[in-house]
Amino acid sequence: MPPARNFAEGWTIPKPDVVYQLPKPFPIPATGVMQYQYVIIPTGFTKDTWVQDVEAAPTDRSIVHHIVAYVRAPGIQLLQRYAEE
């Protein structure tokens, strides 16, 4: 086996202007497969905003396999049902 990967401590992008957190933690089952979790996190931007770098970082890298993120334009209903839960 190759050696375990070393992850950077802190940000690997320049210091961010804005940081978003999940609204609540997700319980992780000890065994089995966890289905995708869909979370809507509003940016709070009130005007067009240029975003140069984005980094998604899990709290515990030993548990999180991968993160998929989307940006929705205002008025788009993609994943809207999850925002209402």
Short mmCIF file of all heavy atoms in Angstrom, two decimals, residues 5-13 55 57-58 61:
data_model
loop_
_atom_site.label_atom_id
_atom_site.label_comp_id
_atom_site.label_asym_id
_atom_site.label_seq_id
_atom_site.Cartn_x
_atom_site.Cartn_y
_atom_site.Cartn_z
N ARG A 5 -2.17 9.62 2.49
CA ARG A 5 -2.04 10.98 1.95
C ARG A 5 -2.01 11.99 3.10
O ARG A 5 -2.76 11.87 4.07
CB ARG A 5 -3.22 11.26 1.04
CG ARG A 5 -3.12 12.57 0.33
CD ARG A 5 -4.18 12.70 -0.73
NE ARG A 5 -4.08 14.03 -1.30
CZ ARG A 5 -4.98 14.57 -2.06
NH1 ARG A 5 -6.06 13.89 -2.37
NH2 ARG A 5 -4.83 15.77 -2.54
N ASN A 6 -1.16 12.99 2.97
CA ASN A 6 -1.10 14.07 3.96
C ASN A 6 -1.91 15.25 3.44
O ASN A 6 -1.67 15.74 2.33
CB ASN A 6 0.35 14.51 4.19
CG ASN A 6 1.14 13.46 4.91
OD1 ASN A 6 0.64 12.81 5.81
ND2 ASN A 6 2.38 13.27 4.51
N PHE A 7 -2.87 15.70 4.23
CA PHE A 7 -3.70 16.84 3.85
C PHE A 7 -3.17 18.10 4.52
O PHE A 7 -2.69 18.06 5.65
CB PHE A 7 -5.16 16.60 4.25
CG PHE A 7 -5.81 15.50 3.45
CD1 PHE A 7 -5.94 14.23 3.98
CD2 PHE A 7 -6.28 15.73 2.17
CE1 PHE A 7 -6.53 13.21 3.25
CE2 PHE A 7 -6.87 14.74 1.43
CZ PHE A 7 -7.00 13.47 1.97
N ALA A 8 -3.30 19.20 3.83
CA ALA A 8 -2.85 20.48 4.37
C ALA A 8 -3.71 20.88 5.57
O ALA A 8 -4.90 20.62 5.60
CB ALA A 8 -2.94 21.56 3.30
N GLU A 9 -3.09 21.51 6.54
CA GLU A 9 -3.83 22.09 7.65
C GLU A 9 -4.28 23.49 7.23
O GLU A 9 -3.51 24.23 6.63
CB GLU A 9 -2.93 22.20 8.89
CG GLU A 9 -2.58 20.87 9.52
CD GLU A 9 -3.78 20.18 10.15
OE1 GLU A 9 -4.68 20.88 10.68
OE2 GLU A 9 -3.84 18.94 10.11
N GLY A 10 -5.51 23.82 7.52
CA GLY A 10 -6.01 25.14 7.16
C GLY A 10 -6.35 25.23 5.68
O GLY A 10 -6.58 24.22 5.01
N TRP A 11 -6.38 26.42 5.15
CA TRP A 11 -6.78 26.67 3.77
C TRP A 11 -5.66 26.37 2.81
O TRP A 11 -4.50 26.65 3.08
CB TRP A 11 -7.23 28.12 3.60
CG TRP A 11 -8.39 28.47 4.44
CD1 TRP A 11 -8.37 29.17 5.61
CD2 TRP A 11 -9.75 28.10 4.22
NE1 TRP A 11 -9.64 29.26 6.12
CE2 TRP A 11 -10.50 28.61 5.29
CE3 TRP A 11 -10.39 27.38 3.24
CZ2 TRP A 11 -11.87 28.43 5.39
CZ3 TRP A 11 -11.76 27.19 3.34
CH2 TRP A 11 -12.49 27.72 4.40
N THR A 12 -6.01 25.82 1.64
CA THR A 12 -5.03 25.64 0.58
C THR A 12 -5.21 26.72 -0.49
O THR A 12 -4.49 26.73 -1.48
CB THR A 12 -5.15 24.25 -0.07
OG1 THR A 12 -6.45 24.09 -0.63
CG2 THR A 12 -4.88 23.15 0.95
N ILE A 13 -6.18 27.60 -0.29
CA ILE A 13 -6.39 28.76 -1.15
C ILE A 13 -6.03 29.99 -0.32
O ILE A 13 -5.85 29.89 0.90
CB ILE A 13 -7.86 28.85 -1.65
CG1 ILE A 13 -8.83 28.98 -0.46
CG2 ILE A 13 -8.22 27.65 -2.51
CD1 ILE A 13 -10.28 29.22 -0.85
N GLU A 55 -13.09 26.41 -1.87
CA GLU A 55 -12.56 25.20 -1.26
C GLU A 55 -13.63 24.62 -0.35
O GLU A 55 -14.24 25.32 0.44
CB GLU A 55 -11.31 25.52 -0.44
CG GLU A 55 -10.70 24.29 0.19
CD GLU A 55 -9.37 24.58 0.88
OE1 GLU A 55 -8.86 25.71 0.78
OE2 GLU A 55 -8.86 23.67 1.52
N ALA A 57 -14.14 21.84 2.54
CA ALA A 57 -13.32 21.07 3.48
C ALA A 57 -14.21 20.38 4.50
O ALA A 57 -14.95 21.04 5.23
CB ALA A 57 -12.33 21.99 4.19
N PRO A 58 -14.16 19.07 4.58
CA PRO A 58 -14.94 18.37 5.59
C PRO A 58 -14.35 18.57 6.98
O PRO A 58 -13.15 18.84 7.12
CB PRO A 58 -14.83 16.90 5.17
CG PRO A 58 -13.52 16.82 4.46
CD PRO A 58 -13.37 18.14 3.77
N ARG A 61 -11.91 14.35 7.63
CA ARG A 61 -11.52 13.76 6.34
C ARG A 61 -11.52 12.23 6.37
O ARG A 61 -11.59 11.59 5.34
CB ARG A 61 -10.16 14.25 5.91
CG ARG A 61 -10.14 15.71 5.52
CD ARG A 61 -8.74 16.13 5.08
NE ARG A 61 -8.64 17.55 4.91
CZ ARG A 61 -8.90 18.19 3.77
NH1 ARG A 61 -9.29 17.53 2.74
NH2 ARG A 61 -8.78 19.49 3.70
#
